């Protein structure tokens, strides 16, 4: 199960980026995750490794880190999700699709295992 | 109160600011204009005095070869003026680059010749990222009150008083994402993600145009940004995620 499929589950949550813990969890039973009473913004925060305008490596590093994390700890390991949140928020959808294809074909330039 | 958020006929000055960055740019503009007026006044005065004194005076300062004091003054004075302009300019430049505590990330992808917006902090019911494309409104579909070459079919919708980070890139050739009301202009380069942020202080509709020559339809890929209240933004997101 890839990260995208993980989010496709009926339950999804927003995470606190400093602790990586879920702040609010929404399930399909609830009306909408966009309810003003419970809504919370969650987006990757400033990372001192990538202080520049150019955020290309911020995206790429988190994509690699997520797949390395999942390869070692498995899909269900909660702390891996912070990498997933970061790279999905930063990387264009086209890039992620291309990299997923490359990984499946064994042609991704970074060793994941 | 009516804000000047669109180009107006014969408009000579900048559009009204909607973000602290653009307010800073206005302030810097006024600051530099002060020195500009000062230099213009001084140079005009000196030119007039010199012309007045030396016309029809063949022998005036016949023996003058050089003047060290004068050299020092006309070197130091422009240097000082440039220094006085550069400090506020650099402060503003580096402050504008900072992306601190963003609440929301929006990806902007430039393509020949339209824009694609991705709200990847949020997913729809099937788990896919919220994304859509934005094309120019063709002339024959314009309605009364629309702005030609600026209105689009869909727009970037963002909440007011919220730090927003834009991740700007392109998929084919270079484009440039620009919104004058917010003081944003950043290149969209294929293979590179550029980051810029804004904080919109009032609701409204802001326009921009692609600012890097990108092909025949370079003029036909504007960007339209709607700044709405938080309630409206969440309504928009939930409609988008249906």
């Amino acid at each position: 199960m890839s990260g995208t499929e993980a989010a496709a589950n009926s339950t999804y949550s927003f995470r606190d980026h400093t602790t990586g813990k879920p702040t609010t969890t929404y399930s399909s039973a609830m009306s909408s995750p966009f309810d003003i009473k419970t809504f919370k913004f969650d987006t990757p925060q400033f990372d001192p490794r990538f202080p520049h305008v150019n955020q290309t490596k911020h995206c790429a590093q988190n994509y690699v880190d997520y797949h390395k994390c999942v390869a070692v700890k498995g899909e269900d390991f909660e702390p891996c999700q912070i990498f997933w949140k970061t790279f999905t928020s930063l990387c264009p959808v086209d890039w992620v699709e291309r990299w997923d294809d490359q990984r499946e074909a064994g042609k991704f330039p970074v060793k994941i295992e | 109160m009516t804000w000047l958020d669109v180009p107006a006929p014969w408009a000579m000055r900048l559009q009204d600011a909607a973000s602290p960055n653009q307010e800073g740019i206005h302030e810097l503009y006024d600051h530099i204009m002060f020195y500009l007026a000062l230099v213009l006044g001084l140079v005009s005065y000196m030119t007039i005095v010199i012309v007045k004194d030396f016309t029809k005076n063949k022998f005036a300062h016949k023996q003058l070869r050089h003047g060290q004091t004068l050299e020092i003054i006309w070197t130091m004075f422009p240097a000082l003026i440039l220094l006085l302009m550069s400090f506020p300019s650099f402060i503003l430049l580096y402050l504008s680059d900072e992306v601190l505590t963003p609440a929301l990330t929006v990806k902007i992808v430039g393509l020949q010749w339209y824009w694609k917006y991705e709200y990847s902090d949020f997913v729809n019911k099937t788990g896919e990222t919220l994304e859509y494309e934005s094309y120019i409104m063709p002339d024959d579909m314009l309605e009364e009150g629309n702005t030609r070459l600026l209105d689009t079919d869909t727009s970037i919708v963002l909440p007011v008083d919220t730090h927003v980070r834009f991740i700007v890139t392109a998929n084919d050739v270079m484009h440039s994402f620009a919104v004058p009301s917010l003081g944003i202009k950043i290149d969209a380069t294929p293979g590179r993600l550029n980051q810029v942020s804004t904080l919109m202080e009032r609701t409204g509709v802001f326009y921009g145009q692609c600012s890097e020559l990108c092909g025949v339809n370079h003029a036909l890929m504007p960007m339209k940004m709607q700044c709405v209240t938080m309630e409206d933004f969440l309504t928009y997101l939930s409609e988008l995620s249906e």
Side-chain angles (χ1 to χ4, degrees):
Chain A
M1 193 170 74
S2 79
T4 324
E5 285 160 359
N9 282 344
S10 55
T11 307
Y12 47 101
S13 57
F14 293 99
R15 274 183 190 80
D16 184 337
H17 267 275
T18 45
T19 61
K21 287 183 185 135
T23 48
T24 328
T25 307
Y26 301 101
S27 67
S28 50
M30 295 167 84
S31 55
S32 164
F34 305 118
D35 185 356
I36 191 142
K37 294 189 195 85
T38 49
F39 181 81
K40 260 193 175 172
F41 279 114
D42 181 28
T43 207
Q45 293 301 301
F46 174 78
D47 186 331
R49 291 177 296 169
F50 312 103
H52 311 291
V53 169
N54 186 354
Q55 292 290 303
T56 319
K57 283 196 171 170
H58 193 176
C59 139
Q61 188 64 52
N62 278 278
Y63 179 85
V64 170
D65 285 349
Y66 173 73
H67 288 98
K68 280 187 174 172
C69 180
V70 162
V72 175
K73 295 287 190 179
E75 290 280 352
D76 300 326
F77 190 62
E78 198 66 7
C80 292
Q81 290 300 314
I82 192 165
F83 299 124
W84 187 81
K85 282 290 296 181
T86 308
F87 88 74
T88 46
S89 281
L90 295 177
C91 302
V93 175
D94 289 347
W95 291 24
V96 175
E97 278 173 12
R98 193 165 71 234
W99 290 341
D100 285 344
D101 291 345
Q102 286 177 348
R103 272 190 312 111
E104 275 164 34
K107 288 175 181 167
F108 191 66
V110 179
K111 214 176 147 206
I112 299 288
E113 301 308 317
Chain B
M1 173 116 191
T2 314
W3 298 93
L4 180 63
D5 289 334
V6 285
W10 298 100
M12 300 291 281
R13 294 209 58 199
L14 304 162
Q15 288 177 21
D16 287 333
S19 76
N21 276 7
Q22 183 61 8
E23 278 169 15
I25 291 172
H26 282 183
E27 211 168 284
L28 179 74
Y29 174 85
D30 294 341
H31 184 96
I32 290 177
M33 273 310 221
F34 167 76
Y35 290 109
L36 193 146
L38 198 78
V39 171
L40 184 73
L42 186 77
V43 172
S44 315
Y45 170 76
M46 282 171 66
T47 312
I48 290 164
V49 167
I50 290 165
V51 168
K52 199 161 153 274
D53 282 2
F54 293 100
T55 349
K56 298 175 188 164
N57 185 347
K58 286 179 188 166
F59 301 104
H61 290 250
K62 190 185 168 193
Q63 308 303 328
L64 190 70
R65 294 278 162 82
H66 68 272
Q68 193 155 23
T69 320
L70 199 60
E71 291 265 11
I72 288 170
I73 290 170
W74 77 36
T75 308
M76 295 300 282
F77 182 71
L80 186 73
I81 295 281
L82 288 176
L83 203 69
L84 287 171
M85 291 196 296
S86 71
F87 272 93
S89 179
F90 279 127
I91 291 168
L92 181 65
L93 181 67
Y94 292 119
L95 274 178
S96 304
D97 269 353
E98 292 290 349
V99 180
L100 301 165
T101 61
L104 168 71
T105 304
V106 178
K107 281 175 276 178
I108 293 162
V109 186
L111 297 107
Q112 278 176 324
W113 290 275
Y114 60 97
W115 294 92
K116 191 166 81 179
Y117 307 123
E118 299 176 2
Y119 290 73
S120 292
D121 288 351
F122 316 107
V123 286
N124 65 13
K125 288 196 170 137
T126 54
E128 286 154 347
T129 193
L130 302 184
E131 57 169 322
Y132 53 91
E133 287 152 5
S134 167
Y135 293 88
I136 190 174
M137 191 80 83
D139 280 5
D140 53 347
M141 285 174 72
L142 286 177
E143 287 167 18
E144 189 75 34
N146 281 10
T147 45
R148 193 179 73 93
L149 296 177
L150 286 178
D151 258 307
T152 52
D153 56 350
T154 57
S155 46
I156 319 171
V157 179
L158 292 170
V160 71
D161 292 329
T162 308
H163 278 280
V164 182
R165 169 209 272 142
F166 297 111
I167 296 282
V168 184
T169 186
N171 246 5
D172 32 47
V173 299
M174 278 179 74
H175 301 273
S176 180
F177 178 77
V179 187
S181 301
L182 307 178
I184 291 178
K185 180 173 282 176
I186 192 156
D187 274 358
T189 314
R192 175 182 162 127
L193 307 176
N194 279 328
Q195 161 180 270
V196 71
S197 82
T198 195
L199 173 81
M200 281 179 272
E201 296 174 310
R202 60 186 167 88
T203 54
V205 183
F206 311 114
Y207 295 94
Q209 290 178 302
C210 179
S211 302
E212 175 70 49
L213 194 56
C214 59
V216 279
N217 287 344
H218 165 61
L220 308 181
M221 49 178 297
M223 51 226 79
K224 181 182 177 185
M225 192 179 284
Q226 285 184 328
C227 183
V228 298
T229 58
M230 190 55 93
E231 289 87 351
D232 290 344
F233 177 66
L234 292 178
T235 311
Y236 178 76
L237 280 186
S238 56
E239 279 168 11
L240 207 61
S241 66
E242 286 300 317

